[in-house]
Amino acid sequence: MARRYDSRTTTFSPEGRLYQVEYAMEAINLAGSTVGVLAQDGVVLAGEKKTTSKLLDMAKQHEKLFQIDDTTFCAVAGITSDANILINKLRLTAQQHVYTYGEPMPVEQLVTSICDMKQGYTQFGGLRPFGVSFLIAGFDKAHKFQLYHTDPSGNFSGWKAYAIGINNNTAQQIMRQDWKEDMKCQEALDLAAKVLQKTMDTANPNAEKLEFGICQRLESGQVKFRMLKESEINKLMADNAPKEGEDGAGESAAAASA
């Protein structure tokens, strides 16, 4: 039955489903693990890179994390070329707001603007839904630090911790158990590292395969975004590696011997 209704984005099936939009959401589940964690004094995003090579110029190449403005950034899961179009739109919208109103754009308003565009691509014939989900993290004066998830249908939702990409159910289960209301940035980084240790297919995750970004309040009171350096990522992953006797350690040892 599905085959009769899945060729066009705009055709509903008798059950009221839009199959092309659902297929776009399935594409997200095959992407590298991507996690976001909200803390009291900041917000952390981290992602697993699928394209790794020592020949890549890492200064010019980003696969998972992208800065939108000084206090807002996003993590991507899905088709990166689709994401590039939407990220450019996000950056343009944020700067147009600053130019018009003389202040940074509220995070939820920015998320709403990109979701309106995503939704339009599910409603009109001849268009394909964007095969990409975002975790958008940022800060504004009204609601402080925030974390949002968007999907190809144009829906968005606010979260305290969330995961998209491969093994996202496992990641969300760990975060439900370990996330706390009074978390600080370092604890949020540790939780993100722990989740990636459990969800990635590799036995020894390191900076070559990962990107970490954080938007946090500095001691001066200023809020800034920055990417973690390779040395910081390697130390973070080493500190949060499963200890001997834990499930993750046993799995890693088995993978290494195989």
Side-chain angles (χ1 to χ4, degrees):
M1 175 66 80
R3 293 290 170 211
R4 294 173 56 189
Y5 298 96
D6 69 352
S7 60
R8 296 184 186 177
T9 308
T10 53
T11 304
F12 282 97
S13 74
E15 301 88 34
R17 296 164 66 179
L18 292 171
Y19 283 105
Q20 283 297 317
V21 178
E22 291 184 22
Y23 295 159
M25 293 182 187
E26 282 302 312
I28 311 306
N29 294 330
L30 304 176
S33 297
T34 310
V35 300
V37 184
L38 195 62
Q40 270 191 338
D41 55 345
V43 58
V44 171
L45 293 181
E48 173 193 2
K49 294 186 288 189
K50 289 293 190 182
T51 307
T52 57
S53 169
K54 66 179 182 180
L55 300 178
L56 276 172
D57 184 349
M58 299 313 295
K60 299 189 177 80
Q61 193 264 355
H62 286 278
E63 185 182 329
K64 298 302 289 186
L65 301 186
F66 300 86
Q67 185 173 4
I68 298 168
D69 62 19
D70 288 343
T71 58
T72 311
F73 68 119
C74 67
V76 169
I79 302 171
T80 310
S81 54
D82 281 10
N84 288 336
I85 299 293
L86 295 173
I87 289 163
N88 282 338
K89 176 68 174 171
L90 281 166
R91 288 169 174 165
L92 181 63
T93 303
Q95 294 309 313
Q96 284 174 334
H97 189 279
V98 172
Y99 182 80
T100 305
Y101 299 104
E103 63 180 20
M105 191 171 188
V107 182
E108 186 175 356
Q109 195 175 332
L110 185 62
V111 172
T112 303
S113 72
I114 204 65
C115 285
D116 288 347
M117 181 176 176
K118 281 187 174 189
Q119 190 277 333
Y121 276 70
T122 70
Q123 193 169 1
F124 302 106
L127 302 176
R128 169 178 71 75
F130 289 100
V132 64
S133 274
F134 288 126
L135 290 179
I136 299 178
F139 174 89
D140 61 49
K141 290 180 180 177
H143 299 292
K144 310 306 179 197
F145 292 101
Q146 297 153 75
L147 173 66
Y148 293 95
H149 166 244
T150 79
D151 66 32
S153 70
N155 281 328
F156 75 92
S157 47
W159 294 86
K160 294 172 180 175
Y162 199 70
I164 51 178
I166 199 164
N167 295 330
N168 62 78
N169 288 330
T170 303
Q172 288 176 51
Q173 186 176 355
I174 296 167
M175 291 191 289
R176 273 196 296 271
Q177 292 171 351
D178 293 359
W179 187 88
K180 301 189 294 290
E181 285 282 351
D182 57 350
M183 264 190 165
K184 299 296 183 186
C185 278
Q186 187 56 51
E187 293 173 288
L189 284 167
D190 289 339
L191 177 56
K194 178 182 176 182
V195 168
L196 289 169
Q197 290 274 10
K198 294 285 178 68
T199 57
M200 287 175 64
D201 294 332
T202 180
N204 298 304
N206 56 35
E208 186 183 353
K209 303 182 180 74
L210 293 165
E211 289 180 25
F212 273 79
I214 183 168
C215 179
Q216 66 184 139
R217 190 189 300 279
L218 306 176
E219 290 180 4
S220 62
Q222 188 180 16
V223 175
K224 291 291 280 186
F225 160 77
R226 73 180 183 92
M227 297 285 287
L228 266 64
K229 298 173 186 171
E230 287 192 9
S231 57
E232 293 178 285
I233 295 173
N234 287 331
K235 183 178 185 304
L236 187 65
M237 298 309 289
D239 290 347
N240 289 279
K243 304 294 186 290
E244 283 296 327
E246 291 184 12
D247 291 345
E251 290 167 9
S252 297
S257 63

